[in-house]
């Protein structure tokens, strides 16, 4: 059986492209629809109820495009809104927290795991709980977790300053406590951060494994597609559609160096705030 309906992804902006790119690699036959809520970004500084409302509106939009699966390609939305999304969605919903936690537990050798994220994600403690839960499942009892909010990373990524001196100085400041703590694994628990992974990796040094939640999430997506029997097979022409709630030109300008030549293209504007949702 083959199901050629697209997978729908949303993020507050361009960060979710780090997840999209990994899904393309893991499941190249799949069509995708990406919605970046750039005009309402960042989510990481908003309240829980606001992020839930935005996420449910994004869900309504993606479901109106007949998607077969929703990927919450934003850690903040995953942390605050996953339960609500899962309850209301008519299709399977994949979040990015659990896959990242699993990958971190498998990668660490000394049990000292760092988590960098938005203030919102850090404050929910969702990531810390997920790592602790996964570690317990794997019978690991030597886990120590060190969290650090890096709010400026989001603006630096949105600005396209992925390898600049400003980013390096900012990273040195934010990551100092994690280096001092002797972590050997660092979870980039915000979808924007892999855009800065060159600088983050250089600042942390070679001995530290960086966990890209996008890679881990793409594996889960692939597995779920086959488990649910909704994978797209031998799809010669997978569609790659993009929507943003801000200016399409602006979105494409920032996203193109990351996705590669000619991508994204044909980005359309759409505001999901017209959807009425009750929380
Ligand atoms: N995409 C968000 C996340 O992964 C970061 C950007 C934002 O704060 O909106 O947490």
């Amino acid at each position: 059986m083959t199901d050629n309906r697209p997978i729908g992804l949303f993020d507050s902006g361009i960060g979710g492209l780090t997840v999209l790119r990994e899904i393309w690699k893991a499941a190249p036959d799949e069509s995708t629809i990406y919605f970046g809520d750039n005009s309402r970004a960042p989510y990481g500084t908003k309240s829980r109820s606001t992020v839930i409302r935005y996420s449910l509106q994004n869900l309504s939009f993606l479901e109106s495009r007949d998607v077969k699966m929703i990927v919450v390609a934003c850690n903040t939305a995953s942390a605050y809104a996953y339960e609500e999304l899962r309850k209301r969605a008519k299709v399977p919903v994949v979040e990015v927290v659990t896959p990242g936690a699993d990958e971190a537990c498998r990668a660490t050798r000394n049990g000292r795991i760092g988590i960098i994220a938005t203030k919102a994600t850090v404050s929910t403690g969702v990531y810390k709980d997920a790592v602790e839960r996964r570690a317990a499942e794997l019978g690991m009892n030597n886990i120590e977790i060190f969290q650090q909010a890096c709010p400026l990373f989001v603006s630096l990524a949105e600005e396209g300053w992925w390898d600049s001196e400003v980013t390096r100085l900012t990273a040195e400041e934010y990551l100092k406590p994690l280096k001092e703590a002797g972590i050997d694994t660092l979870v980039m628990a915000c979808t924007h951060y892999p855009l800065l992974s060159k600088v983050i990796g250089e600042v942390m040094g070679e001995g530290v494994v960086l966990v890209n939640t996008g890679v881990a999430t793409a594996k889960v997506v692939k597995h779920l597609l086959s488990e649910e029997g909704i994978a797209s097979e031998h799809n010669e022409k997978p569609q790659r559609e993009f929507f943003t709630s801000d200016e399409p030109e602006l979105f494409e300008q920032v996203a193109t160096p990351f996705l590669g030549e000619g991508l994204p293209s044909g980005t359309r504007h759409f505001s999901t705030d017209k959807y009425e949702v009750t929380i």
Side-chain angles (χ1 to χ4, degrees):
M1 209 176 85
T2 181
D3 185 338
N4 286 345
R5 287 177 301 159
I7 298 173
L9 298 91
F10 77 85
D11 176 48
S12 58
I14 58 160
L17 299 175
T18 61
V19 182
L20 178 68
R21 188 164 85 159
E22 299 307 329
I23 291 176
W24 285 350
K25 280 192 214 156
D29 283 355
E30 297 297 336
S31 292
T32 52
I33 297 183
Y34 182 91
F35 175 71
D37 199 5
N38 299 70
S39 70
R40 300 192 292 188
Y43 283 9
T45 50
K46 306 274 186 322
S47 68
R48 179 185 198 87
S49 60
T50 299
V51 175
I52 292 179
R53 182 158 53 84
Y54 288 177
S55 300
L56 292 175
Q57 289 174 324
N58 300 342
L59 168 73
S60 296
F61 168 62
L62 290 172
E63 287 197 327
S64 78
R65 312 286 308 183
D66 194 25
V67 298
K68 61 181 172 184
M69 178 186 279
I70 305 275
V71 179
V72 188
C74 171
N75 283 266
T76 306
S78 293
Y80 275 153
Y82 172 65
E83 279 309 318
E84 278 304 317
L85 289 163
R86 194 184 52 81
K87 272 193 253 161
R88 301 191 196 201
K90 299 179 196 77
V91 293
V93 180
V94 174
E95 46 81 44
V96 290
V97 174
T98 323
D102 179 52
E103 196 86 357
C105 290
R106 291 178 190 282
T108 187
R109 285 137 299 151
N110 71 3
R112 300 170 85 79
I113 296 175
I115 296 171
I116 51 173
T118 62
K119 278 189 179 156
T121 302
V122 168
S123 76
T124 61
V126 159
Y127 241 102
K128 191 167 178 289
D129 293 348
V131 172
E132 281 169 354
R133 210 170 33 245
R134 192 64 192 125
E137 281 164 13
L138 294 169
M140 302 163 75
N141 49 19
N142 63 335
I143 293 291
E144 268 194 86
I145 299 167
F146 304 87
Q147 297 199 88
Q148 174 71 46
C150 307
L152 292 177
F153 277 179
V154 171
S155 315
L156 293 166
E158 292 273 340
E159 198 63 35
W161 291 353
W162 302 341
D163 186 14
S164 84
E165 204 43 36
V166 183
T167 305
R168 194 170 309 274
L169 288 172
T170 311
E172 273 164 13
E173 194 66 29
Y174 278 145
L175 302 176
K176 204 161 149 205
L178 300 178
K179 285 180 83 170
E180 284 169 3
I183 61 161
D184 73 351
T185 303
L186 179 62
V187 188
M188 295 183 286
C190 167
T191 48
H192 281 59
Y193 297 178
L195 295 165
L196 311 179
S197 59
K198 179 167 181 287
V199 171
I200 295 173
E202 282 165 7
V203 170
M204 289 310 296
E206 266 182 14
V208 176
V209 175
L210 299 187
V211 174
N212 178 343
T213 55
V215 178
T217 304
K219 284 186 204 157
V220 172
V221 167
K222 181 133 175 92
H223 178 77
L224 199 61
L225 287 169
S226 91
E227 198 178 70
E228 298 274 328
I230 53 173
S232 175
E233 282 156 20
H234 314 298
N235 187 4
E236 306 261 304
K237 282 212 169 90
Q239 304 293 310
R240 294 172 170 181
E241 292 181 80
F242 293 88
F243 290 86
T244 174
S245 56
D246 207 336
E247 292 275 329
E249 295 75 27
L250 212 64
F251 178 85
E252 292 191 357
Q253 231 171 51
V254 185
T256 297
F258 182 69
L259 288 180
E261 204 42 45
L263 281 167
S265 65
T267 303
R268 281 169 276 174
H269 175 267
F270 193 87
S271 291
T272 56
D273 56 12
K274 68 171 186 170
Y275 290 105
E276 295 267 339
V277 292
T278 44
I279 299 171

